């Protein structure tokens, strides 16, 4: 739950998750019979020697994490919407500080988020929101910049800065099994509960602090008449709600995708 997508962009992504399969074009990974139901196969075999040092053990862990991260950074919904922060299998090695930063930057500079900021800027002018930005080319540019700043601030703070400082994993780990209600609860708790680098469940302080810090920073570029504590609380609360709803979509997307694929196969049978 590392990055803060623009509201309209996230709603599109959630809807897509619930209706279509999740596509990943992982490079240098063996072909899978179903990319939705099975994660990329990473060779985690290792020989542990009695003289292995802590540094060597960490190096091995991070080398495996690098392979997993390379596959995750290819994951997209409908081949367009980035889905880099989801561990589809629910199992993954912890990321190093550099890998967390790489993942956050990969999210922030993705063309989809840039295009989304532009589209929402146009929608903002059409619906007469944030009138303090003005109108015309100048107002459009300010709206675009504000939208993209929201995405970048949330992504870097919740996906890199705080996870590095607090030793927490910024990704969403699917539960994948169990009752529907337990999986919904798991997904809804994602903005508040995370996995630490030590593998233990923790309060998601990285996402909470990142969301509220990004909300506070938005006071620097939103129209003057909208700034204040209210803006901080509204923006950060919207981020948390988007994260919870988005996680529900991501939790069940592989199941919906598998159902859709089976349905198409049955229809094609003579």
């Amino acid at each position: 739950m590392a990055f803060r997508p623009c509201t309209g962009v996230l709603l599109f992504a959630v809807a897509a998750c619930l209706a279509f399969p999740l596509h990943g074009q992982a490079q240098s990974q063996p072909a899978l019979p179903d990319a939705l139901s099975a994660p990329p196969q990473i060779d985690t075999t290792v020989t542990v020697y009695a003289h292995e040092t802590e540094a060597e053990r960490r190096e091995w862990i991070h080398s495996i994490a690098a392979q997993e991260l390379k596959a995750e950074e290819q994951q997209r919904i409908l081949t367009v919407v980035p889905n880099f922060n989801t561990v589809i299998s629910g199992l993954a090695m912890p990321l190093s500080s550099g890998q967390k930063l790489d993942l956050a930057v990969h999210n922030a500079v993705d063309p989809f988020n840039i295009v989304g900021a532009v589209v929402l800027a146009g929608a903002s002018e059409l619906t007469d929101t944030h009138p303090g930005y003005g109108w015309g080319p100048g107002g459009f540019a300010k709206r675009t910049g504000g939208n993209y700043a929201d995405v970048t601030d949330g992504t870097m703070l919740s996906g890199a800065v705080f996870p590095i400082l607090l030793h927490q994993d910024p990704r969403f780990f699917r539960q994948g099994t169990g009752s529907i209600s337990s999986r919904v609860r798991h997904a809804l708790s994602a903005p508040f509960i995370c996995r630490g680098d030590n593998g233990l469940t923790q309060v998601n302080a990285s996402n909470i602090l990142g969301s509220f810090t990004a909300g506070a920073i938005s006071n620097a570029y939103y129209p003057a008449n909208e700034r204040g504590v209210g803006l901080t609380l509204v923006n950060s609360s919207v981020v948390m709600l988007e994260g919870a709803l988005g996680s529900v979509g991501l939790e069940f997307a592989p199941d919906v995708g598998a159902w859709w694929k089976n349905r198409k196969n049955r229809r094609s049978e003579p």
Side-chain angles (χ1 to χ4, degrees):
M1 310 311 301
F3 69 100
R4 187 234 193 262
C6 303
T7 305
V9 177
L10 181 67
L11 292 177
F12 170 78
V14 172
C17 284
L18 294 175
F20 295 95
L22 183 67
H23 298 280
Q25 297 93 20
Q27 299 177 352
S28 302
Q29 298 295 330
L32 296 175
D34 186 348
L36 289 167
S37 59
Q41 299 300 306
I42 304 297
D43 182 11
T44 57
T45 304
V46 64
T47 301
V48 180
Y49 298 97
H51 63 274
E52 182 183 45
T53 65
E54 179 65 17
E56 291 172 334
R57 187 183 72 85
R58 288 181 178 275
E59 181 180 359
W60 171 75
I61 289 175
H62 293 153
S63 68
I64 299 300
Q67 297 178 55
E68 296 172 335
L69 186 60
K70 183 178 180 180
E72 291 164 4
E73 288 182 341
Q74 302 297 319
Q75 295 173 171
R76 290 183 183 274
I77 302 165
L78 299 179
T79 72
V80 176
V81 183
N83 187 34
F84 310 143
N85 278 64
T86 300
V87 179
I88 297 176
S89 68
L91 299 172
M93 290 292 188
L95 302 175
S96 67
S97 296
Q99 289 165 341
K100 293 174 184 178
L101 180 60
D102 176 80
L103 179 59
V105 172
H106 195 74
N107 267 308
V109 302
D110 188 81
F112 182 83
N113 289 324
I114 299 174
V115 173
V118 174
V119 171
L120 285 184
S124 178
E125 288 217 3
L126 290 175
T127 57
D128 195 25
T129 55
H130 306 302
Y133 280 138
W135 311 102
F140 181 79
K142 291 177 182 178
R143 285 178 171 83
T144 300
N147 291 333
Y148 188 61
D150 284 346
V151 174
T152 305
D153 291 346
T155 298
M156 299 309 298
L157 290 168
S158 296
V161 175
F162 285 112
I164 290 172
L165 293 175
L166 302 177
H167 304 288
Q168 294 184 325
D169 200 306
R171 297 170 294 182
F172 170 61
F173 290 77
R174 288 182 65 247
Q175 179 175 309
T177 59
S179 65
I180 293 178
S181 60
S182 69
R183 294 176 66 185
V184 169
R185 289 194 300 270
H186 169 77
L188 291 176
S189 69
F192 312 99
I193 302 295
C194 71
R195 182 175 301 183
D197 290 344
N198 59 4
L200 300 179
T201 299
Q202 302 177 356
V203 173
N204 198 348
S206 296
N207 187 58
I208 296 171
L209 291 174
S211 297
F212 278 91
T213 303
I217 292 175
S218 65
N219 282 279
Y221 52 83
Y222 268 62
N225 64 320
E226 298 180 27
R227 299 173 187 172
V229 176
L231 177 65
T232 300
L233 294 177
V234 168
N235 281 358
S236 55
S237 298
V238 167
V239 171
M240 303 293 281
L241 178 60
E242 288 176 345
L245 296 178
S247 295
V248 173
L250 296 175
E251 173 66 31
F252 291 98
D255 305 285
V256 175
W259 170 82
W260 182 263
K261 182 178 180 179
N262 291 334
R263 182 171 178 267
K264 288 174 61 178
N265 290 339
R266 287 196 300 270
R267 284 187 171 184
S268 63
E269 292 177 355

